Amino acid sequence: MEPVGLRDPPVAPSPWSPLLVLARHQRTAAYESAVQSAVDIAHRTQQKIAALDYVEMVRPISLSIVLFRRKGWTSEQYTEWSHQLLRDQIAFVTPTKWEGETVGRLAFLHPNTTDELVDQILESMRD
């Protein structure tokens, strides 16, 4: 028995093909723009962290991922901080492990993430 679809006639090129090509290009451009926005805010976040005395970078950013530590925090404090941000509906930020140490991780995915939100997240670690 032949799988379904193998005997279907070939589809003739659509007169709309140029529009489909344009739509694909625009989606690609939008995707590239979104990725660039995430990378840009990661770079700005790295600069913000460098200006604060209670947090520090663990390693240089990688694409849109920022690994940082709150000086003096335990693993439990990172977990509670993460849960509080979620309860307050501020952000979904999870701690991670880096070389055996629990640290903060910001993974920027949404192109509309604002610097003000990053400031709020970092400020929530102050006390």
Side-chain angles (χ1 to χ4, degrees):
M1 180 174 213
E2 226 174 290
V4 175
L6 285 183
R7 291 196 181 264
D8 293 343
V11 177
S14 165
W16 300 102
S17 291
L19 289 178
L20 292 175
V21 169
L22 178 61
R24 285 187 190 125
H25 173 72
Q26 287 177 337
R27 282 195 311 260
T28 301
Y31 178 76
E32 288 174 4
S33 176
V35 170
Q36 188 61 53
S37 293
V39 170
D40 290 346
I41 198 161
H43 280 279
R44 291 192 306 274
T45 300
Q46 181 172 265
Q47 293 170 346
K48 290 172 184 287
I49 289 170
L52 298 172
D53 62 352
Y54 57 93
V55 288
E56 62 188 3
M57 293 294 295
V58 171
R59 62 179 311 274
I61 64 167
S62 177
L63 291 177
S64 66
I65 307 299
V66 178
L67 290 184
F68 64 104
R69 74 174 50 87
R70 169 58 167 92
K71 295 175 185 176
W73 268 17
T74 65
S75 180
E76 292 77 19
Q77 287 171 298
Y78 280 103
T79 300
E80 178 53 35
W81 165 75
S82 172
H83 291 170
Q84 190 63 49
L85 285 173
L86 194 55
R87 279 192 299 270
D88 293 344
Q89 296 185 9
I90 294 170
F92 179 60
V93 179
T94 59
T96 192
K97 293 280 188 182
W98 175 257
E99 296 182 352
E101 175 188 6
T102 302
V103 297
R105 177 185 63 193
L106 297 175
F108 295 105
L109 302 173
H110 197 285
N112 294 331
T113 302
T114 64
D115 287 292
E116 292 77 20
L117 178 59
V118 172
D119 292 339
Q120 187 177 7
I121 292 167
L122 294 174
E123 181 63 28
S124 71
M125 300 180 95
R126 184 178 295 276
D127 295 324

